[in-house]
Amino acid sequence: MSTHSTASIKKDQESNKETDYVEHAPQPVDRTFERQTIRKIDLRLIPILSLLYAFSLIDRTNLGLIRVAGMDRALGLSIGNRYSIITLLFFVPYIIFELPANIYIRKVGVSLFLGTIAVLWGAITLASGFVKNWQSLAGLRVLLGFLEAGYFPACAYLISLWYTRREIQTRMAFFYMFSLLAAGFSPILSYGISQMHGRSGVAGWSWIFIIEGLVTCVLGFLAYFCKLTLFALTHIACSTFYLNHYSPDKNKFLSAEQTEWLLQRINKDRGDAEYDPLTMKKFWAYVQDLKLWAFALCFMASTLASYAISFFLPVILAGMRYNTRDSQLLCSPPYVFTVIYALIFSIISDRVNKRAPFLLLNCILSIIGGVLIAYTKGNGSRYFGVFIMLAGCSANVPGVLAYQANNIVGQSKRAYASALTISFGGIGGIFASLVYRQKDAPNYRPGIIATIACQCFMILLLGACSLHFFLRNREVKKGSTKWIEGKEGFLFTL
């Protein structure tokens, strides 16, 4: 370790102040050069990942909207637990194939992998517009879960590779919240498309599947084949073409000077800028790392509430005696509020370099929102509860991913941890499908109570992790040679 780094750690030990592994830039650098390099990375990664994930999220969660647009009556989804079964089946392959997909993407390249699965899941969504019974829709949802399994963990993994620990949550938030904002306006889009009812003999709800599937296919083709260098197209429609060399040490879009500065910067922050293969020995070591399971359970608790609102909010609003148009359109404002809240939350969290306290606050907000939805009578208070609950749980999605990314070292471990964490998000989706039962519609009180219980469980996990991280940091500051994550001087982010 360098003299500068050793001196920095000794200074921290004496002052008993918590710091990261190293907080300073690797060498004196012009601020303009630094900003230009980071902006170049931002524009290369975030827009296309966000845009494709937006349609992934829309394709995955638009069932509630399409249900109230006529699919419920056409396919008999209110009979028994048909709707819950359809929502649940998506998550079975989604969970199973996330880790294999995250390993496979490291072998075949980002552009080929993400472009291909985007085209295929768009085709599945399009085909959903032509189903004649609920069994066919259930089968297509299984295929959709298989194809989308690799996308979210791959994006989380990619973002975690390129940024320091104090920058990750803001990027995760922009990536996820752009997608959530697009999904938030999906009700307006869905309502507009549903007005095509009867065109070419096709029902309005079918047109929603068809149009959204076509758009996803087009984006997937652009992401792989487009080689234009015009700024707008490059950074909005085809950036993944340039991500075949996705690792910072193998990139082709930064200059040699920028790459050298970036690698030094990442290594000074956490020491894992270079690629490392995932071996069976490493795999079993990661399986035994309890904190990774804690992160995954926190993510499950967050996504349970998020999926529940996505799948069942239109039905809850319909139960408040809003008509089909209003129950769709009223879904959008909570998402707009959530995006603004979560971005502010993430920026502040990055600046103060704290994670758990903000996650705790959002759990409390989700609990308050759930109580308002479940136990108050007026539509105004229940609708306000939707705002608070959605803001809290959705802000915790990038928050938990940043919490996890901040506290591990190694590219192979990041690939494993991203897949594990996000696969538990799929378990949250299954949980939502099971506890929000058709017989409890339209209020879904037992489901909301289960959601509140999960937020309380997450609070306990955050408390346990924070205590463990604090004690381990204190040991290192006192000179313990039992290094955190095998890196001398590395400290957990609380």
Side-chain angles (χ1 to χ4, degrees):
M1 190 174 185
S2 68
T3 303
H4 173 77
S5 299
T6 305
S8 177
I9 294 169
K10 179 181 279 189
K11 183 179 179 180
D12 289 336
Q13 292 172 349
E14 292 172 353
S15 63
N16 199 33
K17 285 179 62 178
E18 179 170 351
T19 91
D20 286 338
Y21 179 44
V22 169
E23 293 185 334
H24 306 292
Q27 61 184 25
V29 65
D30 179 72
R31 292 291 296 172
T32 301
F33 171 85
E34 180 179 354
R35 284 195 299 268
Q36 288 176 346
T37 303
I38 296 300
R39 187 181 301 116
K40 193 172 184 179
I41 297 169
D42 287 340
L43 292 174
R44 187 69 55 154
L45 284 173
I46 305 303
I48 185 61
L49 295 180
S50 301
L51 190 59
L52 278 174
Y53 185 65
F55 278 89
S56 167
L57 198 61
I58 290 170
D59 293 343
R60 183 190 319 165
T61 61
N62 62 1
L63 279 182
L65 299 167
I66 299 175
R67 182 183 181 184
V68 299
M71 183 177 67
D72 193 3
R73 183 171 56 255
L75 302 183
L77 298 184
S78 294
I79 299 173
N81 291 313
R82 290 180 178 180
Y83 181 69
S84 293
I85 291 171
I86 289 172
T87 58
L88 182 152
L89 286 175
F90 168 90
F91 293 102
V92 176
Y94 186 81
I95 293 168
I96 294 172
F97 291 101
E98 284 195 336
L99 180 58
N102 236 25
I103 295 172
Y104 189 62
I105 194 174
R106 287 156 58 92
K107 297 181 180 296
V108 302
V110 174
S111 174
L112 176 62
F113 182 82
L114 297 186
T116 300
I117 64 173
V119 171
L120 291 176
W121 91 54
I124 294 297
T125 302
L126 188 155
S128 299
F130 298 97
V131 298
K132 302 300 181 183
N133 54 64
W134 75 276
Q135 293 94 334
S136 299
L137 181 61
L140 289 174
R141 295 293 292 183
V142 172
L143 292 175
L144 189 65
F146 168 74
L147 291 168
E148 291 194 15
Y151 192 76
F152 194 3
C155 292
Y157 168 62
L158 280 174
I159 293 171
S160 71
L161 290 182
W162 287 84
Y163 298 98
T164 64
R165 289 180 289 162
R166 300 190 71 158
E167 297 169 337
I168 286 176
Q169 184 162 341
T170 300
R171 271 70 185 184
M172 290 284 191
F174 271 100
F175 157 70
Y176 183 71
M177 288 304 148
F178 177 87
S179 310
L180 200 66
L181 182 63
F185 282 100
S186 178
I188 298 174
L189 176 65
S190 297
Y191 176 74
I193 296 174
S194 69
Q195 300 308 298
M196 296 174 64
H197 180 76
R199 297 278 182 92
S200 302
V202 177
W205 65 268
S206 295
W207 276 116
I208 299 174
F209 276 129
I210 294 168
I211 298 298
E212 291 178 352
L214 279 173
V215 173
T216 305
C217 287
V218 170
L219 287 174
F221 277 117
L222 286 174
Y224 183 65
F225 289 111
C226 185
K227 302 182 183 180
L228 298 177
T229 56
L230 292 175
F231 176 85
L233 288 177
T234 299
H235 295 300
I236 296 177
C238 60
S239 296
T240 56
F241 175 82
Y242 297 94
L243 289 178
N244 267 325
H245 302 283
Y246 62 89
S247 182
D249 59 319
K250 298 178 180 179
N251 83 83
K252 299 297 183 182
F253 67 92
L254 295 178
S255 68
E257 182 183 8
Q258 288 174 319
T259 299
E260 181 181 3
W261 173 80
L262 177 66
L263 294 178
Q264 290 181 7
R265 185 174 187 256
I266 294 172
N267 278 325
K268 289 294 184 180
D269 178 65
R270 58 181 186 269
D272 67 356
E274 287 77 27
Y275 174 87
D276 71 290
L278 178 61
T279 63
M280 287 304 298
K281 182 179 179 180
K282 291 179 182 178
F283 174 81
W284 288 115
Y286 301 158
V287 170
Q288 297 172 58
D289 192 337
L290 294 182
K291 69 176 179 291
L292 299 185
W293 296 96
F295 297 143
L297 289 168
C298 287
F299 196 73
M300 180 198 74
S302 301
T303 56
L304 164 63
S306 182
Y307 278 127
I309 292 177
S310 297
F311 288 143
F312 299 101
L313 180 57
V315 182
I316 293 173
L317 291 173
M320 296 181 192
R321 299 183 180 179
Y322 292 111
N323 58 31
T324 299
R325 182 197 67 182
D326 291 343
S327 64
Q328 286 184 322
L329 298 182
L330 285 172
C331 290
S332 294
Y335 283 94
V336 176
F337 171 76
T338 293
V339 169
I340 297 171
Y341 168 81
L343 288 176
I344 294 173
F345 155 89
S346 297
I347 292 170
I348 296 174
S349 180
D350 267 351
R351 287 186 178 178
V352 301
N353 199 31
K354 300 293 181 184
R355 304 299 181 211
F358 293 92
L359 296 174
L360 171 64
L361 171 63
N362 288 327
C363 287
I364 294 171
L365 284 179
S366 296
I367 292 171
I368 294 172
V371 170
L372 290 173
I373 297 171
Y375 293 104
T376 59
K377 301 297 183 182
N379 285 354
S381 60
R382 296 184 68 200
Y383 189 50
F384 178 66
V386 171
F387 276 77
I388 296 177
M389 186 175 180
L390 183 63
C393 67
S394 297
N396 270 352
V397 170
V400 172
L401 292 175
Y403 193 38
Q404 171 246 101
N406 279 188
N407 291 305
I408 59 177
V409 172
Q411 291 192 17
S412 62
K413 192 169 189 177
R414 292 183 185 282
Y416 171 84
S418 296
L420 176 68
T421 301
I422 295 169
S423 68
F424 269 68
I427 294 174
I430 290 178
F431 196 7
S433 301
L434 292 174
V435 299
Y436 285 77
R437 303 170 298 181
Q438 178 61 35
K439 68 179 184 179
D440 300 320
N443 295 321
Y444 296 111
R445 182 172 292 178
I448 295 172
I449 292 172
T451 303
I452 293 172
C454 280
Q455 303 310 301
C456 295
F457 176 60
M458 182 172 169
I459 290 173
L460 293 177
L461 287 172
L462 290 171
C465 287
S466 296
L467 178 60
H468 171 67
F469 292 169
F470 173 78
L471 294 176
R472 288 290 288 120
N473 285 351
R474 189 171 65 179
E475 288 178 11
V476 171
K477 290 177 181 179
K478 288 182 178 180
S480 172
T481 56
K482 188 179 178 182
W483 300 332
I484 298 172
E485 290 290 295
K487 288 291 180 182
E488 184 178 2
F490 184 90
L491 295 175
F492 285 125
T493 302
L494 300 180

